[in-house]
Amino acid sequence: MKLTFVYLALVTLSFLSCKTEPKKTVVQEPESQKSVLEKIAEAHGYGNWESVKEFHFTFNVDRDSSHFERSWIWKPKINEVTAMNATDTLTYFRKDMDSVTYKTNGGFINDRYWILAPFNLIWDRDNFSYEHTENEMAPLSETRMQKLTLVYSNEGGYTPGDAYDFYFNDDHIIREWVFRKGNQPEPSMTTTWENYVEKGGIQLAREHKTPNGNFNLNFTNLEVITD
């Protein structure tokens, strides 16, 4: 599954590119080597995920003078989720959802994707196609990076058919990304991945900012409890 983005009257952003673009190099990965999906996930600590008992986080969106937040506790070994906001607390199992918890779970999938998208490259592998190129202009930093494009299938999920462009260097740590609703050519949202912190052997980007500076999606109360 993938995220349903929180729309807050965002202005659609355009790609920044040079006038002269070099020819793209599409990487063909030998079967004996790790895929780029595995390399990105592992660079962010995927090998330590099997030890995680609880994952706590508060999802915040600050735009101009407005603030939105909601908190989550996820117990991945039993797939139990606790959702907390200013007025309510709801605990449910993701394998046994009714109409209320299904709607709440949409928010969980959205918020979790922003913080754990590198791991969704493994978790969602059967639900998307992808292309990896090695020399692309990143839209925010305007530097050359590797690019991974995912296009989700049109079946299932909360927002089928969406596409994501991840930009990263040779360390395979994500630095920028672009969300394209319905796989449209134009960006629906472009943000940084920054202010990384290590928790339980996992690399977590705490902030995602737009270039105009009036939008900051960030995470607080990050806690990773392991065995």
Side-chain angles (χ1 to χ4, degrees), residues 127-146:
N127 298 323
F128 60 74
S129 61
Y130 73 94
E131 179 179 281
H132 172 215
T133 52
E134 288 191 317
N135 187 17
E136 297 282 353
M137 182 68 74
L140 298 181
S141 63
E142 298 186 78
T143 59
R144 293 284 170 187
M145 294 188 189
Q146 297 187 53

Side-chain angles (χ1 to χ4, degrees), residues 49 55 74 112-120 123 193 202 204:
W49 181 256
F55 187 76
W74 182 28
R112 187 192 71 178
Y113 202 93
W114 278 96
I115 191 70
L116 293 177
F119 296 172
N120 278 85
W123 295 336
W193 280 61
I202 298 172
L204 302 167

Side-chain angles (χ1 to χ4, degrees), residues 200-211:
I202 298 172
Q203 298 294 326
L204 302 167
R206 288 179 288 183
E207 290 190 281
H208 305 278
K209 299 177 181 178
T210 55

Side-chain angles (χ1 to χ4, degrees), residues 68-83:
F68 169 84
E69 71 177 64
R70 55 191 173 197
S71 298
W72 306 91
I73 298 174
W74 182 28
K75 299 178 180 179
K77 292 182 183 294
I78 59 174
N79 226 350
E80 178 190 273
V81 176
T82 298

